[in-house]
Amino acid sequence: MPQATYQTRRDQLQTYFDHTAVEAWKRLTSEAPVSGIRATVRAGRERMRNTLLGWLPEDLRGARLLDAGCGTGALSREAARRGAAVVAIDLSPKLVKVAADASRGDLGTGGITFKVGDMRDPALGRFDHVVAMDSLIHYKAQDIAGVLADFAGRTDASILFTFAPRTALLATMHAAGRLFPRSDRAPAIEPVSETGMRMAIARSQPLAGWSPSRTERISGGFYTSQAMELCPR
């Protein structure tokens, strides 16, 4: 994987979420009133989160799950309610604090360990399941495959992730920079075709023992994202 590309974009995202958009994302992921544009993003993210949760076992007791790019922690909380021991990690200390504060007294039968850092850190240990919801959409296909390869080396059952699918509408919106107002716009999302994503996975030697399984696109208003499941062969 081109480390410089991943690292540069990772640093941009950390700056964005910690210094520009934490309050916007806190509102977006709460029940606070939001604009019409953000309401469609909120609804799309909820549908995507439910899709990914639907691909996980209903009973996660005894399972260890990595929420890679946990944001404000909604997926982590649901996985913990199902019994998973969750490690929730994000680059942004401010977002992790929001997630931890929102999760107090709501850890279900499992538990959540919140961490600030890189989702690729091998010190996080092994997992049964890894979920990366909308945390890889700012990376090119080869960089996404590199992250997935890192996950594969320490995951036993499934890797669930999302990418920004290459569509004419999405490409136009991103090229024009109209997804969010300029004051809190994120680093550019990288549209990736499903074919390109599958090819990047197939070319990755560390992913030779894994294959794509289910995939589903969620699209509505200003939210478009595609989920993909990787399972051991």
Side-chain angles (χ1 to χ4, degrees), residues 127-138:
F127 297 92
D128 296 285
H129 305 279
V130 173
V131 183
M133 177 182 149
D134 292 350
S135 53
L136 298 176
I137 60 175
H138 301 280

Side-chain angles (χ1 to χ4, degrees), residues 23-44 178-184 220-223:
E23 288 302 319
W25 277 89
K26 184 176 178 180
R27 289 180 63 83
L28 180 67
T29 55
S30 70
E31 296 183 358
V34 291
S35 69
I37 289 175
R38 286 186 173 82
T40 66
V41 175
R42 175 187 283 172
R178 292 197 293 262
L179 188 58
F180 285 107
R182 184 176 300 277
S183 61
D184 58 4
F222 277 73
Y223 182 88

